[in-house]
Structure formats: structure tokens, C-alpha cells
Amino acid sequence: MKFITSRPKLPPSAAEMADGPWFNMWRKQYWPINELNIDAVLYWYESAEKSIVWRTIVEDVDRFSYDSKEEAKRKIKKRFGEIDDKQSYYTEAPSQGFCLVFKVKSLQRLNLPKPDEFKFPQQGWLSGEHEIAQKWLEMEIADDSTLDEIIPDGIPIERLRQLNNVMAGIPSARIKKIVSQTIRNDTILVKALKDLCHFSCQFPNCNVRIPKKDGGYYIEVAHIEPVSEGGRSVLGNLLVLCPNHHKEFDYGDLEIIEQTIDYLHGKLNGEEFEISLPSA
Ligand SMILES: [Zn+2]
């Protein structure tokens, strides 16, 4: 089972997230007080960021009724440890009611922006089965996912923009890991890149584009690290180039000074160059 829960602010560190305990105190037995169980996948929506920022797994959970907040605090402490009783989830809790308390583990930092127009339920919980939640979570980057799998449906240029937005929220160490993963179907990305560059050569001061009789343009996509040397068709290793610059890249004396997902700085046949992907 998957759940999304909302908090105004969330800690940036995995250690603080895992520290917990987390709780909700309600006047009634609201959903999912009886549905949240150990091993449920719990996503965390940070309303200040308008984004899901963590994926966790519920490690321990308890629910009980209480007749005073002090009693609830004692019960939480006994099983899960001390809570911060200055937080609004305690100070503004009903004086009697029901408490859902849990701890989480297996943390993965995410950046899944909330779909436009969607208002997070006031109770602060959303089922992963909800139609909107399913779409929302499709954007997630699983550890074993490939780039084409994490690009949501849409027109190619939008896919690339969404992907870059997703990438922007991931620590650089992780980006390195993701861009090194293979794209199974690289044609989507290649097409999106060509679109993004308006089918013109990205090499500085070139901008060549070759008209075709069907009204479109011919342009090539080069691998910065050659395929023959293990280079892959991933963002950060692809460049939109005219045929001349493509061949110069392939056969010339190429030295890469800096390479990120959307920026390339290098030396080609003795001349330094910088290329930035036109970003969203
Ligand atoms: Zn060129």
C-alpha cells in the first residue's frame, strides 16, 4: 500500500526523518488511522515546496485513543521515544481523540512537484490508489529505473523539461548515477533534444541547420563519450551537432574539461568551447 502524507516543512536530512516518531492526533478515527501498516510505502509531501520530497517505508506503527494529550504523549514516548511537544501537531491537537504514530526508514530524497490545480486533502493524507496520486508518483525515479521510464508522457520537449526539473532536485552524486544508466529507448530523448535545440548545431557560433524538402530539418546527435568507449545515450552525454562538427568531435582531438547534465566545457583541436543545453 502507498500513502502520501503532508507536512508544512520537512527535514532535509534522512537521519532526522528516520528519527521520528511522527504522529497525527485527530478527533475522529479518520482514514488511514487503521489502514497504515508496517512496510507501507509512505511518501512525504512538503507543502512549502509544493513537492513530494521523501519516499519512506513504515517501520513501526501504532494507533490508539486517548483521553488527554498528556496520555497520548506518554503512550508515544513509551513505544517510540520522546516527541517535541512544541510542534503544532501536538499543541493544536484535540484534547481527546485518536492518535496515529509511526516511524519510517529506507529514505529516498525525491522531488515530485504537485500536479497543478490539485489541492492536497485537508486531513493531510492521500491514498496512493487515488488517480491523481498514481499519476503523481509515476514521476518517481526508482533506483533501477531508466531515463525513458521516468520521463512522463507528453510532447518530447515537455518530457525533457520535466526530466530536467526532476534532475534539479537530486543531489549531484545521484545525478551521476542516473545519467550513467542506460536508456532503453533513446529515440525519445534524441528527438526531444533535437526539438529543444531547434534542429540547429549547438557548437558555439555554428547554429547550422540543414533544411529538408519535407519542411523539416536534418541534424545529428553526437555522443560526447563515444559509444565504442562505453558512452551511453543519456542526457549529459548527448550533443546536437551539424554533420561537420559531429565528425570533428568524432575524429578530432577532443578533451573534456567539465561535463554536467546540461553543460559541456572542453577543448576541440586546441580550441576551448562551452556548450549549454538551452534549459527549460
Ligand atoms: Zn556545427
Side-chain angles (χ1 to χ4, degrees), residues 141-211:
I141 300 166
D143 273 339
D144 57 352
S145 68
T146 59
L147 279 178
D148 58 304
E149 285 168 338
I150 61 171
I151 304 173
D153 281 341
I155 59 167
I157 188 155
E158 273 308 307
R159 291 183 179 197
L160 197 62
R161 283 178 180 169
Q162 284 167 330
L163 175 64
N164 277 337
N165 287 342
V166 171
M167 291 294 196
I170 307 166
S172 55
R174 212 173 131 62
I175 286 183
K176 226 173 164 178
K177 189 181 165 204
I178 291 165
V179 296
S180 70
Q181 286 166 348
T182 317
I183 295 179
R184 262 181 236 142
N185 173 10
D186 66 13
T187 54
I188 293 165
L189 195 63
V190 165
K191 175 139 188 355
L193 267 174
K194 287 178 175 179
D195 274 349
L196 190 65
C197 299
H198 306 291
F199 292 80
S200 67
C201 178
Q202 277 184 281
F203 200 82
N205 305 317
C206 179
N207 297 320
V208 155
R209 56 180 198 172
I210 300 167

